[in-house]
Amino acid sequence: MRSFYLDSSDWPETPDERLILTGTEAHHASRVIRVKVGEEVRVFDGIGREALAEVDYVGKNRVDLAPREVRVSPPPARSVTLAVAWTKALRRSWLLEKAVELEASAVWFWQADRSQGKIPDEPKETWTAQLVAGAKQCESAWVPALRTFPKGFPEVAAAAAAIPKRFALWEDPHQPRMLTANDLDGPGDILFVLGPEGGFSPKEEALFTDAGSGFVPVSLGRRILRWETAALLCLGLAFWSGS
Ligand code: SAM
């Protein structure tokens, strides 16, 4: 079944009112997918609400849908936040799609001392579009929240203060203990912080190794992984343990 995204702010007040697709979603439905009147489609808002709806008008810039059934999926029992250091765009869209599939609640990008390039102050529209594309493909009703942290690790640490399980993924072969299944078991929101291609700077390492930081430095094993591999592994382990 075809899925279309409708931002939660655009959903009607009452459940039997029409859902109106406009902009890129209307164009996608009418010009790319070429939906037909009477066809049943799925609409989702990215924060848990989805509807089965019947197409009852197809215009060039607007598609009207009559909702047949609306349901709300609760958020995952615990949130998983992936904080990856800003790095070249190469695999970012791929990672955003995997973050949806593996039910990350949030994806944070942060400016590390060794990041290549400058992080945008705000998340880009294209990132949201990539998350929506991922949610369409895996029929998820949830889309991870996006944030950027241009001020670096201290800004991430401050934003993460309420997250009980905070892991700094540290590739230093001599230091950290392994991340274990035990770490990820049971309730309690999780944060994974990963460094850039060039790794964490000594200043950043001092921040997360400080006993009072609330971070646990952990290793994924002796091999130095590319940031996207390490990120995917963290999300996969959390998804698997949460299932
Ligand atoms: N500076 C590293 C080097 O060249 O030796 C490479 C950093 S790695 C490409 C990018 C990030 O992935 C690291 O900062 C870390 O967060 C994560 N990472 C990669 N391999 C890891 C491992 N074996 N254990 C924990 N984290 C790892």
Side-chain angles (χ1 to χ4, degrees):
M1 179 179 294
R2 295 294 180 178
S3 287
F4 298 96
Y5 172 69
L6 183 62
D7 189 277
S8 57
S9 59
D10 295 326
W11 285 59
E13 295 293 316
T14 54
D16 50 2
E17 268 182 83
R18 292 285 178 277
L19 299 168
I20 313 285
L21 299 183
T22 56
T24 45
E25 287 300 283
H27 178 266
H28 187 227
S30 60
R31 291 286 173 276
V32 178
I33 306 294
R34 297 187 177 283
V35 294
K36 300 277 174 286
V37 169
E39 185 176 342
E40 189 166 73
V41 298
R42 173 180 168 267
V43 189
F44 66 100
D45 69 356
I47 50 173
R49 186 169 37 175
E50 51 193 324
L52 293 184
E54 187 179 315
V55 178
D56 73 3
Y57 168 79
V58 181
K60 197 157 164 287
N61 299 311
R62 170 194 168 124
V63 173
D64 293 14
L65 307 168
R68 293 285 175 257
E69 184 194 330
V70 180
R71 54 172 182 256
V72 178
S73 338
R78 55 137 192 232
S79 75
V80 175
T81 299
L82 179 73
V84 285
W86 185 250
T87 187
K88 51 184 183 294
L90 225 52
R91 309 281 286 157
R92 191 169 19 256
S93 53
W94 172 86
L95 182 76
L96 288 170
E97 184 184 87
K98 300 308 151 203
V100 176
E101 285 181 75
L102 294 172
E103 296 181 358
S105 309
V107 177
W108 295 354
F109 293 106
W110 62 282
Q111 185 76 43
D113 294 340
R114 292 177 181 166
S115 282
Q116 295 154 326
K118 192 173 166 322
I119 195 168
D121 286 338
E122 294 299 327
K124 287 187 167 173
E125 287 290 306
T126 47
W127 303 351
T128 303
Q130 284 151 0
L131 289 175
V132 166
K136 286 182 177 179
Q137 185 271 329
C138 66
E139 294 208 345
S140 167
W142 286 89
V143 166
L146 286 170
R147 282 186 70 173
T148 55
F149 293 85
K151 297 194 190 79
F153 192 91
E155 197 183 11
V156 174
I163 298 177
K165 298 181 178 178
R166 307 196 285 274
F167 299 107
L169 279 297
W170 197 14
E171 71 277 18
D172 183 322
H174 309 298
Q175 304 285 346
R177 66 167 176 80
M178 287 289 286
L179 177 68
T180 65
N182 226 9
D183 289 321
L184 304 178
D185 255 355
D189 295 345
I190 296 171
L191 167 78
F192 296 114
V193 181
L194 285 85
E197 280 304 292
F200 291 107
S201 68
K203 205 172 88 206
E204 290 157 350
E205 289 172 350
L207 285 172
F208 64 68
T209 52
D210 173 79
S213 71
F215 280 86
V216 180
V218 290
S219 170
L220 293 169
R222 56 175 166 63
R223 185 179 307 280
I224 300 280
L225 306 171
R226 294 188 64 84
W227 71 274
E228 66 267 26
T229 313
L232 185 69
L233 183 52
C234 289
L235 288 180
L237 289 171
F239 178 76
W240 172 78
S241 76
S243 312

